[in-house]
Amino acid sequence: MSTTTLADEDIVLAPAHPRRADGHEVAEDAIGFETRRSATGEVCGLAFTSAEALVSCLGPEQRWVAVPLGTLRNVLGAAGIATLALDPYALPSRAEGRPLHG
């Protein structure tokens, strides 16, 4: 992981997918942030400081959003996720992670 120190207002790239309103369970359009489980089993959010780092780790087809780091931390924290992996270089497969819809 990166040793870069970022401020809450710094923009990071977060793996995410659109969640369209379906009129039933989802009332309005939203973004689902991807999460993964760490080697210790802890659910963590993901953030990258560059598109190159994101593509290197997750591949060129990965969808993402640019968001202030503080906003991402707040969204993850509201979902009970206290850990954020910044510029991870290796991740478990998606099957071991879970999307966070927010």
Side-chain angles (χ1 to χ4, degrees), residues 23-40:
H24 300 286
E25 293 179 24
V26 180
E28 56 188 50
D29 291 346
I31 295 171
F33 292 99
E34 286 192 24
T35 62
R36 296 290 198 285
R37 289 203 180 271
S38 70
T40 61

Side-chain angles (χ1 to χ4, degrees), residues 17-98:
H17 301 278
R19 293 252 316 158
R20 302 283 180 230
D22 62 13
H24 300 286
E25 293 179 24
V26 180
E28 56 188 50
D29 291 346
I31 295 171
F33 292 99
E34 286 192 24
T35 62
R36 296 290 198 285
R37 289 203 180 271
S38 70
T40 61
E42 181 181 23
V43 176
C44 61
L46 308 172
F48 295 87
T49 56
S50 70
E52 293 79 15
L54 184 142
V55 169
S56 175
C57 185
L58 300 175
E61 300 300 317
Q62 174 65 53
R63 292 181 178 194
W64 54 270
V65 295
V67 61
L69 180 60
T71 299
L72 181 60
R73 283 184 176 144
N74 288 338
V75 169
L76 294 171
I81 300 170
T83 302
L84 181 67
L86 182 62
D87 286 336
Y89 53 88
L91 294 171
S93 69
R94 271 198 187 98
E96 295 176 38
R98 67 182 175 100

